Amino acid sequence: MTGAARASRSLRGRLFRRPLVALSGAAGRLARCGKHLDTAAIQTPFWLNPIWAGMHQLRREYWAHLGVSVGDGVRFSNHVKVVGPTRLVVDARAKILNKVLLDARGGIHIGADTQIGFESVVFTSSHVFESLEVAIRDQGMEHRPVHIGSDVWLGARVIVMAGVTIGDHAIVGAASVVTRDVPPGAIVAGNPAVLIRQREHYAQTEGARDP
């Protein structure tokens, strides 16, 4: 590493690591002020959005300080927003790309090696709307967890609705809306997302089961 590169790394460390050290205390203050981290909506701050080498490590520390369960090698891109960070679990080497919104109030588990494409949205909350006598906004919210398995690829601008489970090795096409469970190894797309085909290993396994 050249002297200039070392100086640049040192400068970035001084600029960005000091605020990160204070985040654990800030999280406590948020909770004491009534802004509980299991429902708070928090966006990546502007000073963590530059696309510099190593910034993903700082962003990982940032979300860990705010209560996200973060596995080794997880990469958060810029402009990510999380609602309820203490109810979000992201396993090792998963990638959350830029401008993703994760509503984790009902609980979200993202498996290892999974990729969440840019501008995707995962919901775990929805309005209650059964009564016609009460305005929808006054009927409260219901929460259902979302589980996204390991080695899953969600394309750009995918929407995942509350209560959905997406199996390991599944692929969801760009701009799809996932309203029901996706089997392991399935390739789905559309609004609502429907099965296109099974990936080869799973297709062979299903074929072997046929009489």
Side-chain angles (χ1 to χ4, degrees), residues 51-194:
I51 306 174
W52 291 352
M55 288 299 290
H56 64 277
Q57 297 173 343
L58 299 179
R59 288 190 286 263
R60 184 169 67 241
E61 291 181 38
Y62 172 81
W63 289 112
H65 274 298
L66 289 174
V68 177
S69 176
V70 181
D72 293 339
V74 168
R75 298 175 72 105
F76 285 93
S77 192
N78 54 335
H79 299 285
V80 170
K81 185 174 183 179
V82 178
V83 184
T86 57
R87 296 183 176 178
L88 173 61
V89 177
V90 186
D91 289 342
R93 300 174 304 281
K95 292 183 178 181
I96 314 298
L97 297 183
N98 55 303
K99 298 184 179 180
V100 166
L101 169 59
L102 301 173
D103 167 22
R105 287 173 289 180
I108 296 175
H109 190 147
I110 298 172
D113 301 302
T114 284
Q115 301 179 79
I116 310 296
F118 78 90
E119 296 185 1
S120 291
V121 181
V122 180
F123 289 112
T124 62
S125 303
S126 180
H127 287 279
V128 177
F129 55 86
E130 297 304 324
S131 175
L132 298 180
E133 306 301 321
V134 180
I136 292 174
R137 68 181 183 184
D138 296 326
Q139 294 187 49
M141 304 287 289
E142 62 178 2
H143 307 287
R144 291 181 292 158
V146 167
H147 187 279
I148 301 173
S150 299
D151 188 32
V152 171
W153 175 22
L154 268 58
R157 296 176 176 169
V158 166
I159 297 175
V160 179
M161 303 305 293
V164 163
T165 294
I166 299 177
D168 295 345
H169 311 292
I171 298 173
V172 180
S176 297
V177 179
V178 184
T179 60
R180 61 183 65 185
D181 290 353
V182 176
I187 300 175
V188 301
N191 179 9
V194 296

Side-chain angles (χ1 to χ4, degrees), residues 15-30:
L15 286 174
F16 296 113
R17 288 194 177 276
R18 185 174 295 176
L20 286 169
V21 170
L23 281 173
S24 57
R29 289 193 295 273
L30 279 169

